[in-house]
C-alpha cells in the first residue's frame, strides 16, 4: 500500500478495537434487564454510535498516498474526543441502567483512560507526548477487558 505507516496511528486502531470489544463485553450484564425505558435505550445506543463515528474518522478516505503519522496528528483531537465520549457513555449506561458501577477498579481505570485521552486531545501536536500516552492507553484498555468481562453462560 502507498501509505506510510505510523505507530501512533496503528496504536489508535488497536485502542479503537479494544474499546469496541470492552463496550460489547460491558453490555452482557444488561441482558437481564426486563423493562427498558426509552431514555435508557437511547443512552445505551450512544456508545456504539460514537464508536461508529470514531471508526469513520480513524480510517482516512484518500486515494493518494498519505503520511499516517501526520493524519493521526491532524485528527488526534477528534479521535481522542470520541473515545472519551464512548468510554463515558458506556460507564453512564452501566450506572443508569444497572444502578451501579461493576467495580471500583473498573471505575478508576475508566477515569484514568479518560484523563490520558483528554491530555492527548488537549495537546494534539505534541507527538512525543502521544508516543508515551498511546501505549499507556493500550495497556490500560487491555486491563479493562478482564474488569468488564463477566462469565458468559
Amino acid at each position: 500500500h502507498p501509505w506510510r505507516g505510523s505507530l501512533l496511528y496503528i496504536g489508535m486502531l488497536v485502542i479503537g478495537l479494544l474499546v469496541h470489544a470492552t463496550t460489547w463485553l460491558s453490555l452482557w450484564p444488561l441482558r437481564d434487564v426486563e423493562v427498558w425505558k426509552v431514555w435508557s435505550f437511547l443512552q445505551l445506543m450512544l456508545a456504539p454510535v460514537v464508536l461508529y463515528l470514531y471508526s469513520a474518522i480513524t480510517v482516512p478516505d484518500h486515494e493518494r498516498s498519505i503520511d499516517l503519522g501526520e493524519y493521526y496528528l491532524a485528527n488526534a483531537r477528534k479521535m481522542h474526543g470520541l473515545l472519551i465520549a464512548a468510554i463515558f457513555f458506556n460507564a453512564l449506561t452501566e450506572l443508569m441502567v444497572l444502578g451501579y458501577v461493576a467495580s471500583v477498579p473498573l471505575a478508576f481505570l475508566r477515569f484514568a483512560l479518560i484523563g490520558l485521552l483528554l491530555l492527548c486531545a488537549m495537546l494534539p501536536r505534541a507527538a512525543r507526548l502521544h508516543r508515551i500516552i498511546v501505549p499507556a492507553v493500550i495497556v490500560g484498555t487491555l486491563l479493562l477487558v478482564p474488569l468488564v468481562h463477566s462469565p458468559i453462560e
Side-chain angles (χ1 to χ4, degrees):
H1 226 291
W3 293 348
R4 288 183 281 165
S6 164
L7 291 178
L8 287 174
Y9 178 79
I10 292 168
M12 285 308 294
L13 291 177
V14 169
I15 291 169
L17 287 172
L18 291 171
V19 171
H20 274 81
T22 57
T23 297
W24 184 83
L25 287 170
S26 71
L27 296 176
W28 185 252
L30 301 177
R31 73 190 183 286
D32 296 329
V33 176
E34 294 179 13
V35 178
W36 284 87
K37 297 178 182 165
V38 173
W39 174 247
S40 297
F41 177 74
L42 292 175
Q43 197 173 8
L44 172 72
M45 295 308 297
L46 283 174
V49 167
V50 168
L51 286 172
Y52 170 78
L53 294 173
Y54 170 81
S55 298
I57 288 174
T58 303
V59 179
D61 188 26
H62 296 284
E63 295 292 323
R64 58 183 170 74
S65 173
I66 63 169
D67 181 346
L68 291 176
E70 281 302 313
Y71 182 83
Y72 165 80
L73 292 173
N75 292 289
R77 185 168 288 183
K78 294 175 200 170
M79 288 185 221
H80 292 293
L82 288 168
L83 283 178
I84 290 168
I87 294 168
F88 175 77
F89 289 139
N90 193 14
L92 185 64
T93 298
E94 186 178 281
L95 181 63
M96 298 302 287
V97 175
L98 295 176
Y100 61 89
V101 175
S103 69
V104 172
L106 176 60
F108 175 77
L109 189 55
R110 281 179 175 156
F111 181 73
L113 288 173
I114 286 173
L116 288 173
L117 290 167
L118 185 58
L119 187 59
C120 278
M122 291 178 359
L123 303 167
R125 301 299 291 177
R128 285 186 180 183
L129 178 67
H130 288 243
R131 285 188 199 109
I132 296 168
I133 291 179
V134 168
V137 172
I138 290 172
V139 169
T141 310
L142 283 170
L143 292 173
L144 271 179
V145 174
L147 291 174
V148 299
H149 174 70
S150 59
I152 298 177
E153 301 157 359

